[in-house]
């Protein structure tokens, strides 16, 4: 039976927020603890972060530890999951170099996430070559570990599709070598893309609309208290709108039925609370206090684990070092198989000498 292997990762360009958490991190921890996977690799994608931060290496360097702390705080257990740093696994660059031969620039540019990112960064006239080709490097990340499953956010879907294109074409040309991966998206729609606290479509550091996993209890409450809601819901008795109201979207992503009695609310579930809000008579402050209780309960153990690991930074560095060493060994093995399939394993017993003989 083929092994079930997970690979996923994040760019270390900032601290991780609750959008990352519901979009991917929470699921990774569940998958890790399910015991259903043979190997789990979680990658801090510093090399990918540098593709549009070449002039800010200090920003990437600083966030490598931030992201590692975010992982450990969320419950990624280094005994069960291998956390590593992308740039320390040089086979990934080599794999990427060979995969780049398989497809055209036009194919690459069809990737909608890449297109949107190019536009957002104002790169239209001058795209760094590394940035343009990062979807190929991502295919190297995934295939180097023979990943069968990539739990990640919706924005990564085009990367997975292009990775699958690469795997299929590589295997068709060079023989069955690479493993075809599947994406695993959050099942709850609210978790696919959590809006910012200001109601904007996405949480982003530059917009200042994020709740970070490392925020204090007080910071979280301040952000919840000032969250955007339905702007026409002026008085408690006014009917309110739930759709597009981020307070309710967050509740969709976080609230469980048992939270209602736990925090003294009379509703059986979120649908009942939404109905009350729609009818009128339910104030925003009450809803926000409930959201705050729910969020704090989820973030408290994360905060406690963070404090534990922040007091043990040398241990965190050792986890990353050992994880990177192990990841490099696995990726080297795949690179060997790839080179063999491509007939560039010249010095193996059936390499160049065998050519001469025939
Ligand atoms: N592109 C991902 C992000 O922006 C990071 C990443 C790099 C990744 N390589 C990956 C995710 C491989 C999943 C699989 O956060």
């Amino acid at each position: 039976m083929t092994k079930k292997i997970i690979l996923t990762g994040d760019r270390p360009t900032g601290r991780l927020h609750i959008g990352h958490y519901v979009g991917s991190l929470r699921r990774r921890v569940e998958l890790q603890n399910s015991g259903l996977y043979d190997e789990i690799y979680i990658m801090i994608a510093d090399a990918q972060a540098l593709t549009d931060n070449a002039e800010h290496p200090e920003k990437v360097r600083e966030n490598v530890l931030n992201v590692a702390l975010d992982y450990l705080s969320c419950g990624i257990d280094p005994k069960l999951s291998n956390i590593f740093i992308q740039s320390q696994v040089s086979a990934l660059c080599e794999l990427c170099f060979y995969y780049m031969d398989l497809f055209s620039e036009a194919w690459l540019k069809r990737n909608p996430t890449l297109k949107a990112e190019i536009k957002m960064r104002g790169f239209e006239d001058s795209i760094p070559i590394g940035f343009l080709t990062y979807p190929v490097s991502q295919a190297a990340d995934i295939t180097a570990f023979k990943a069968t499953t990539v739990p990640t956010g919706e924005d990564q879907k085009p990367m997975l599709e292009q990775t699958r294109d690469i795997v299929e074409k590589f295997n068709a040309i060079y023989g069955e070598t690479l493993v075809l991966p599947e994406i695993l998206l959050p099942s709850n729609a609210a978790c696919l893309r959590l809006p910012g606290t200001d109601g904007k479509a996405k949480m982003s550091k530059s917009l200042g609309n994020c709740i970070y996993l490392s925020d204090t209890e007080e910071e979280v409450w301040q952000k919840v208290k000032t969250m955007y809601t339905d702007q026409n819901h002026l008085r408690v008795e006014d009917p309110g709108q739930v759709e597009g109201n981020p307070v309710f979207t967050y509740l969709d992503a976080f609230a469980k039925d048992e939270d209602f009695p736990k925090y003294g609310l009379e509703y059986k579930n979120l649908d009942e609370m939404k109905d009350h809000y729609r009818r009128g008579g339910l104030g925003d402050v009450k809803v926000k206090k409930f959201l705050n209780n729910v969020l704090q309960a989820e973030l408290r153990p994360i905060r406690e684990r963070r404090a534990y690991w922040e007091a043990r930074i040398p241990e965190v560095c050792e986890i990353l070092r050992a994880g990177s060493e192990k990841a490099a060994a696995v990726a080297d093995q795949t690179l060997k198989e790839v080179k063999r399939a491509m007939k560039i394993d010249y010095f193996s017993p059936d390499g160049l000498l065998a050519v001469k003989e025939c």
Side-chain angles (χ1 to χ4, degrees):
M1 221 183 74
T2 55
K3 280 190 181 176
K4 291 178 80 174
I5 300 176
I6 286 179
L7 175 120
T8 185
D10 303 272
R11 290 182 201 168
T13 50
R15 293 179 291 153
L16 301 182
H17 51 62
I18 60 171
H20 294 116
Y21 181 70
V22 294
S24 173
L25 283 172
R26 180 165 65 181
R27 185 71 167 286
R28 289 182 208 173
V29 175
E30 284 167 13
L31 295 173
Q32 169 195 273
N33 296 338
S34 74
L36 293 172
Y37 290 86
D38 299 293
E39 292 167 34
I40 302 176
Y41 299 94
I42 313 241
M43 182 181 76
I44 302 179
D46 64 333
Q48 189 175 109
L50 284 166
T51 62
D52 66 329
N53 282 290
E55 280 151 43
H56 304 287
E58 69 294 338
K59 171 176 154 191
V60 173
R61 184 184 174 96
E62 173 186 318
N63 283 304
V64 165
L65 257 188
N66 281 336
V67 170
L69 284 169
D70 282 325
Y71 286 165
L72 294 166
S73 311
C74 286
I76 298 288
D77 177 347
K79 289 192 209 68
L80 301 172
S81 299
N82 195 77
I83 308 176
F84 72 97
I85 306 177
Q86 187 184 26
S87 63
Q88 305 307 298
V89 181
S90 49
L92 299 177
C93 296
E94 271 189 74
L95 288 171
C96 178
F97 192 70
Y98 298 123
Y99 297 168
M100 285 201 285
D101 300 335
L102 297 175
F103 283 92
S104 69
E105 182 187 350
W107 165 86
L108 193 55
K109 285 184 169 165
R110 279 200 287 273
N111 180 322
T113 298
L114 183 72
K115 257 198 270 194
E117 287 178 327
I118 288 171
K119 201 159 165 212
M120 208 168 76
R121 288 163 173 74
F123 279 164
E124 283 105 326
D125 300 325
S126 167
I127 315 170
I129 300 166
F131 189 80
L132 179 66
T133 54
Y134 91 73
V136 184
S137 114
Q138 202 156 324
D141 303 336
I142 295 167
T143 54
F145 298 92
K146 302 199 166 85
T148 50
T149 312
V150 182
T152 186
E154 198 182 24
D155 58 335
Q156 299 300 306
K157 222 167 144 181
M159 314 303 160
L160 259 292
E161 280 161 19
Q162 290 190 321
T163 299
R164 290 171 62 92
D165 286 350
I166 288 174
V167 169
E168 281 170 349
K169 192 157 183 190
F170 188 100
N171 287 348
I173 299 173
Y174 303 112
E176 210 53 40
T177 312
L178 302 175
V179 175
L180 199 62
E182 310 259 1
I183 191 168
L184 197 58
L185 292 172
S187 41
N188 174 343
C191 297
L192 279 177
R193 181 154 294 188
L194 206 66
T197 52
D198 56 359
K200 295 230 169 71
K202 210 180 160 180
M203 279 202 179
S204 114
K205 192 167 62 179
S206 51
L207 294 173
N209 61 1
C210 305
I211 295 177
Y212 292 101
L213 294 170
S214 47
D215 279 346
T216 63
E217 192 164 339
E218 186 51 33
E219 282 167 335
V220 172
W221 169 232
Q222 282 306 322
K223 289 178 183 179
V224 170
K225 206 159 71 177
T226 55
M227 255 176 96
Y228 181 92
T229 61
D230 173 7
Q231 297 302 289
N232 298 317
H233 185 241
L234 298 174
R235 286 162 306 173
V236 172
E237 58 274 21
D238 289 340
Q241 198 173 330
V242 166
E243 287 70 32
N245 183 334
V247 178
F248 280 97
T249 311
Y250 285 21
L251 286 174
D252 275 323
F254 283 98
K256 299 186 274 303
D257 290 353
E258 59 264 32
D259 290 330
F260 292 90
K262 193 160 145 195
Y263 299 116
L265 292 184
E266 59 278 22
Y267 315 105
K268 272 208 278 305
N269 52 40
L270 187 55
D271 285 336
E272 278 193 20
M273 187 180 205
K274 285 180 177 172
D275 283 343
H276 191 184
Y277 192 80
R278 286 196 189 97
R279 277 199 311 275
L282 173 57
D284 283 316
V285 177
K286 193 164 175 186
V287 187
K288 285 179 171 180
K289 280 193 173 147
F290 176 59
L291 172 62
N292 184 56
N293 281 326
V294 170
L295 276 181
Q296 301 286 3
E298 189 112 10
L299 294 177
R300 201 167 296 123
I302 297 178
R303 226 175 264 135
E304 284 166 9
R305 274 191 296 262
R306 176 179 298 276
Y308 173 91
W309 288 109
E310 273 179 345
R312 290 166 179 77
I313 296 296
E315 220 177 297
V316 177
C317 290
E318 177 52 24
I319 288 168
L320 296 177
R321 195 203 56 75
S324 299
E325 194 175 284
K326 174 164 178 223
V330 174
D332 279 345
Q333 177 56 35
T334 304
L335 177 63
K336 225 181 191 169
E337 291 163 20
V338 160
K339 285 176 126 176
R340 184 173 178 78
M342 295 177 71
K343 304 199 186 309
I344 52 173
D345 58 333
Y346 301 121
F347 306 114
S348 64
D350 53 355
L352 282 179
L353 270 177
V355 174
K356 188 93 199 279
E357 272 163 20
C358 59

